[in-house]
Amino acid sequence: MSTREKKAPSRKSNIFRRWDGKLTTELVLEPSKFGLGHVPKKLTPNGATTSVCGFCSTGCGLTVHLRDGAAVNLTPDTNYPVNLGMACPKGWEALTPLQADDRATIPYLRDASGKLQPVEWAVALDVFCKRFKEIQQAHGADSVAFISTGQMVTEEMALLGALAKFGMGMLHGDGNTRQCMATAVAAYKQSFGFDAPPYTYADFEESDVIVLVGANLCIAHPIMWQRVLRNRRNPKIVVIDPRRTETAMNATHHFPILPKSDLSFFYAIAHVLLRESWVDAAFLEKSTEGFSDFAAHLSEFSPAAVSELCGIPVEGMEELARLIHEGKRVSFWWTMGVNQSHEGTRVAQAIINLALMTGNIGKPGTGANSITGQCNAMGSRLFSNTTGLLGGHEFTKEEHRAKVAGILNIPVERIPTVNSLAYDQILEAVRTGKIRGLWIIATNTAHSWMHQNDAIEILGKLDFLVVQDMYHTTETAQAAHLVLPAAGWGEKDGTFINSERRFGLAKKVSRAPGVALADFNIFKLIANHWGCGGMFSQWTSPEATLQLLGRISKGQPCDISGIADYRMIDNAGGIQWPLPEGTPLLETERRLFSDGCFYHPGGKAKFIFAKSTPPPEVPDAAYPFILLTGRGTSAQWHTQTRTAKSAVLQQLYPKELYIEINPADAARLGLSSGQKAKVTSRRGRAEANVVVTACVNPGQVFLPMHYAETNRLTYPMVDPYSRQPSYKYCAVRVQPCKK
Ligand SMILES: Nc1nc2c(c(=O)[nH]1)N[C@H]1C(S)=C(S)[C@@H](COP(=O)(O)OP(=O)(O)OC[C@H]3O[C@@H](n4cnc5c(=O)[nH]c(N)nc54)[C@H](O)[C@@H]3O)O[C@H]1N2
Ligand SMILES: Nc1nc2c(c(=O)[nH]1)N[C@H]1C(S)=C(S)[C@@H](COP(=O)(O)OP(=O)(O)OC[C@H]3O[C@@H](n4cnc5c(=O)[nH]c(N)nc54)[C@H](O)[C@@H]3O)O[C@H]1N2
Ligand code: SF4
Ligand SMILES: [Mo]
């Protein structure tokens, strides 16, 4: 290279038209000089780098356009195998929430008068360690616990879990993934022997019959829905959802099942398949066990016997069974309509059973497929050290503890031998005074937990509550004694694992405001301050951490020891687990179980089933409606700490809480659209704007979860196997508000 070439400016200007039509100038930069992150930025010719979205579990690839090394805007990545150039409104607007005025830019400590006051990091770290240590000394190591998230990068959640449990001696830590994916985890573990969603997104395109259960893809996973639309096989699209959702409107078949009647409904479908001998006997024999018991269980679930309970005519159930039989490739997908239920684990397994008995698994366009929620719910399930030991291991297995301790080079006694309490049990232990210190990271309990008034009261009992968040204004941060300011998506490096088990790389493309730090760095600082920093000497960077996790995962179903480094993930367009060391990465899309072998000893999947039980609170004369809750629009994310900060997104959703109610009910109550209604449950009340719509059936109403009021009403109950809350069923009363 000549001197002239070397000195030639490394920038080139270009004019780009943004998605909103505005023109913008992009500059091509040398990433090593101006790059903000530790990751070498894969430069595209126009001065941009790649990343993956930090909202939902679809895990879309984004092209982030840079100026002076920092993000100026973004566009969907046209080469990424997940989204193929598409993104939903949240993805397009992902950079905007980083600029919000209420970012936590410095730690805050509650002063004697009860006000949160800004303090230096040194003070925050001192108080953090002193208060938690005092509590542990007075009440035992397990009197302090943590609640983590599915929204940090894998490396951060792993470091948090290791620091809290191995370093600080906590026994109990759970995550908001409990609210979301715990049911799928429990169902897969019991049925397949490991928590393993088997599919790849290509299965949406390769199915003849796509069965969506309690999943509103058009709103919650819009880009997965785009993958459905790319299906060229003219598929039957079946939606099983009490509401006529946007997805149901676009389906070929909609079964508006009565809420929480799924278990009997799916047993009836299985009953018909068995009655007609529409089963895959060879697959049952080779790859499953327990089918004959299941077959006996099905005898009482004829369509006629359950039709009334499910609100679906006999012919409807017969038709669905026929569709499943006639479809060469049938895929079953479920989301929160199933997971959030008092008997969700068994419902998920009823769906799994349908795939098993018809041999619809391990082949293109098939599968019993749980769709995840948050960008890194899968990371939380396998690598957060909360419900399971790092890398899909078990705390209760001596050989697992020894293996992990050996690789981490820590004394094996530092690893707890018992499982954590679940989220609801941690809160219960706070209520009874057993847990007195709580560290909440990247979740907004005071808004998103069920029976909110009670949850807030419980948080108020804590001797010391630390909240680590991007914003100091969240409902939970407002209840904290100490707020630690965290960098968010786009301000740090690391990996997310999407719904189809794909590791994607998120990069630092923007500086965190003030003295906010990446969660990874906060955890490292705390480790040093606590006095256990030496245990984490191998955890030098997020990338080194992923390599460490790769070594830990060796030999597990989620083995990722073949992922060499971040560059490999970036260049490959993401990498699905498993990828054991030495395995060549030949394809961009892979599914599990193509050999018909599952993870139980013996390799067989199990048929698991149970009697159905009614939910604990059902409508009565005083509270005559069933309250359903869920996602409202594709522009709103959960408790709205991020999406409420974008003026563009604000145009796309109603500002205030609204309630959807059927025209017949509205007429009876004298309610019309635009009016305000009072919604009351035995636990709380809310005011909502009335939306009269036939999309909800008579006797049911729907409230979106994005408004804080909704969870004042919800009933505190969990599935017994997964301990996941059942957010989608309780009894409420609806009345016009007095003018
Ligand atoms: N825009 C947007 N997208 C998101 C999110 C977001 O906040 N905003 N969150 C992400 C997360 S974390 C998650 S977990 C997913 C959730 O994604 P989804 O589960 O698709 O969303 P929900 O609206 O919670 O629930 C889905 C449907 O379940 C139905 N349902 C309720 N009760 C029952 C029942 O008893 N049986 C059946 N069969 N269906 C029932 C509801 O009517 C609802 O339409 O979305 C992810 N994507
Ligand atoms: N009624 C009802 N309630 C529900 C549901 C429902 O369907 N109905 N769905 C449930 C489900 S599936 C879910 S997943 C939960 C979600 O519930 P939450 O997890 O409470 O919701 P989020 O608003 O996503 O909260 C994430 C928090 O993390 C912060 N954050 C984001 N990125 C980072 C980061 O990198 N570092 C740090 N430290 N903080 C960060 C955000 O500012 C925000 O405060 O809600 C559950 N609640
Ligand atoms: S679909 Fe999910 S991952 Fe894709 S852009 Fe939207 S929020 Fe991000
Ligand atoms: Mo979720």
Side-chain angles (χ1 to χ4, degrees), residues 74-398:
L74 56 79
T75 46
D77 189 340
T78 46
N79 293 321
Y80 203 67
V82 165
N83 51 316
L84 314 162
M86 301 175 280
C88 85
K90 298 182 297 301
W92 279 107
E93 273 297 289
L95 290 165
T96 311
L98 302 178
Q99 310 301 329
D101 294 339
D102 62 338
R103 284 297 299 271
T105 56
I106 190 165
Y108 291 86
L109 181 64
R110 200 167 291 283
D111 67 12
S113 71
K115 264 194 84 179
L116 283 173
Q117 299 286 4
V119 292
E120 300 290 321
W121 266 111
V123 176
L125 291 169
D126 272 347
V127 174
F128 180 99
C129 294
K130 186 169 162 281
R131 294 293 291 118
F132 277 150
K133 279 186 174 175
E134 278 170 1
I135 293 171
Q136 284 185 320
Q137 270 151 21
H139 304 283
D142 61 347
S143 61
V144 172
F146 69 102
I147 293 176
S148 169
T149 183
Q151 290 177 61
M152 288 190 306
V153 294
T154 311
E155 298 77 356
E156 291 176 342
M157 42 177 83
L159 178 54
L160 166 63
L163 165 65
K165 289 197 170 174
F166 311 153
M168 297 167 69
M170 293 186 206
L171 280 189
H172 305 301
D174 200 3
N176 64 0
T177 351
R178 179 73 61 180
Q179 295 160 282
C180 185
M181 302 315 306
T183 292
V185 175
Y188 278 142
K189 273 193 180 165
Q190 293 176 356
S191 294
F192 294 165
F194 195 78
D195 174 19
Y199 60 97
T200 184
Y201 294 154
D203 290 321
F204 282 123
E205 296 174 18
E206 295 173 4
S207 267
D208 300 319
V209 180
I210 298 171
V211 183
L212 299 165
V213 191
N216 189 4
L217 288 193
C218 291
I219 295 297
H221 297 96
I223 303 306
M224 291 192 204
W225 178 252
Q226 294 301 318
R227 297 292 299 262
V228 171
L229 296 182
R230 284 167 52 94
N231 186 314
R232 302 234 167 137
R233 302 171 70 91
N234 194 22
K236 303 283 187 300
I237 303 173
V238 179
V239 168
I240 298 161
D241 193 309
R243 296 188 306 138
R244 190 154 180 269
T245 59
E246 294 76 357
T247 314
M249 289 176 203
N250 287 293
T252 57
H253 296 70
H254 174 214
F255 294 94
I257 187 174
L258 281 170
K260 301 297 157 260
S261 67
D262 301 62
L263 198 56
S264 301
F265 179 79
F266 289 117
Y267 290 157
I269 305 301
H271 177 104
V272 178
L273 290 168
L274 180 65
R275 188 191 69 204
E276 301 297 327
S277 300
W278 291 339
V279 295
D280 185 338
F283 183 81
L284 285 177
E285 173 65 26
K286 175 178 170 269
S287 297
T288 71
E289 62 187 41
F291 182 66
S292 53
D293 291 343
F294 181 52
H297 170 78
L298 292 178
S299 64
E300 58 188 90
F301 290 93
S302 68
V306 302
S307 169
E308 198 184 323
L309 179 87
C310 303
I312 303 293
V314 170
E315 308 77 63
M317 290 186 244
E318 301 274 354
E319 188 189 359
L320 178 53
R322 177 172 292 280
L323 283 178
I324 293 171
H325 169 61
E326 288 174 353
K328 284 198 184 61
R329 301 165 166 194
V330 184
S331 57
F332 300 88
W333 310 80
W334 79 86
T335 318
M336 291 309 119
V338 172
N339 283 0
Q340 294 171 345
S341 155
H342 67 290
E343 54 188 10
T345 303
R346 292 295 178 254
V347 175
Q349 286 163 333
I351 299 171
I352 292 172
N353 293 349
L354 289 179
L356 291 175
M357 70 193 285
T358 55
N360 273 302
I361 195 150
K363 296 181 283 203
T366 66
N369 305 330
S370 146
I371 300 171
T372 33
Q374 307 167 78
C375 52
N376 205 16
M378 191 78 232
S380 162
R381 286 152 74 165
L382 294 177
F383 292 103
S384 67
N385 215 33
T386 52
T387 47
L389 179 57
L390 292 171
H393 292 96
E394 307 280 345
F395 285 105
T396 48
K397 287 194 178 150
E398 195 177 346

Side-chain angles (χ1 to χ4, degrees), residues 439-460:
W439 182 13
I440 296 184
I441 305 99
T443 186
N444 192 4
T445 308
H447 176 141
S448 63
W449 193 250
M450 54 191 173
H451 190 359
Q452 190 183 88
N453 295 335
D454 186 49
I456 292 174
E457 199 182 306
I458 289 176
L459 292 179

Side-chain angles (χ1 to χ4, degrees), residues 151 176 443-444 448 469 492 519 629 638-639 641 711 728:
Q151 290 177 61
N176 64 0
T443 186
N444 192 4
S448 63
D469 204 284
K492 54 193 181 176
D519 294 285
T629 68
H638 292 163
T639 74
T641 67
N711 274 321
K728 288 177 167 35

